[in-house]
Amino acid sequence: MKSTIRTALILGSLAGILAQQASADTAATLPVYGDELQRCVVALRPEAADVGAALARHTVTAVTVRGMWREFTIESAYTAKAGEALGDTVSLCRTARWGSGTELNVVARHAPSGAAVAGARLAAR
């Protein structure tokens, strides 16, 4: 009888751990700042259009909260339709945490070599 109870407790604990892990994995794949990041992507569209990009890949490298603002440091890589690199930008995008305000400041623009992205990342902080 005791071994049955012990087995049931162990199985119940394992099920709880697995359920907790599954919910953690699901939460990690959902966008935490979805609406705010979407506003930053919309603000970055003119940059992509200026260089004639067919594809823009944005990578958030830092997130900071300052008062009512959430600040994202975003590295963007632009690619032409044929696949050639068109350059990179590093931007600081500020979004109002409780509202629709959005501010974009492009800190640096680089030619396709992209060698100065690391320095611009530091400047954005």
Side-chain angles (χ1 to χ4, degrees):
M1 181 74 156
K2 288 183 181 180
S3 66
T4 304
I5 294 172
R6 189 176 315 156
T7 303
L9 288 174
I10 291 171
L11 289 175
S13 297
L14 286 174
I17 291 169
L18 291 174
Q20 192 174 33
Q21 181 62 38
S23 68
D25 290 345
T26 302
T29 60
L30 296 175
V32 177
Y33 310 113
D35 175 55
E36 294 173 40
L37 285 173
Q38 182 60 33
R39 288 187 269 156
C40 290
V41 169
V42 169
L44 283 163
R45 284 183 184 157
E47 281 294 314
D50 285 349
V51 296
L55 175 69
R57 178 171 293 177
H58 306 293
T59 304
V60 176
T61 58
V63 179
T64 307
V65 175
R66 294 186 200 279
M68 68 174 269
W69 297 98
R70 195 172 323 268
E71 297 179 348
F72 300 93
T73 302
I74 302 171
E75 293 180 13
S76 303
Y78 302 108
T79 308
K81 193 171 186 176
E84 66 268 10
L86 297 174
D88 310 305
T89 61
V90 176
S91 306
L92 182 61
C93 182
R94 298 176 67 198
T95 58
R97 293 165 54 200
W98 304 285
S100 59
T102 304
E103 298 175 2
L104 179 70
N105 179 24
V106 178
V107 178
R109 288 180 183 87
H110 304 102
S113 67
V117 170
R121 184 182 308 138
L122 292 174
R125 291 183 186 165

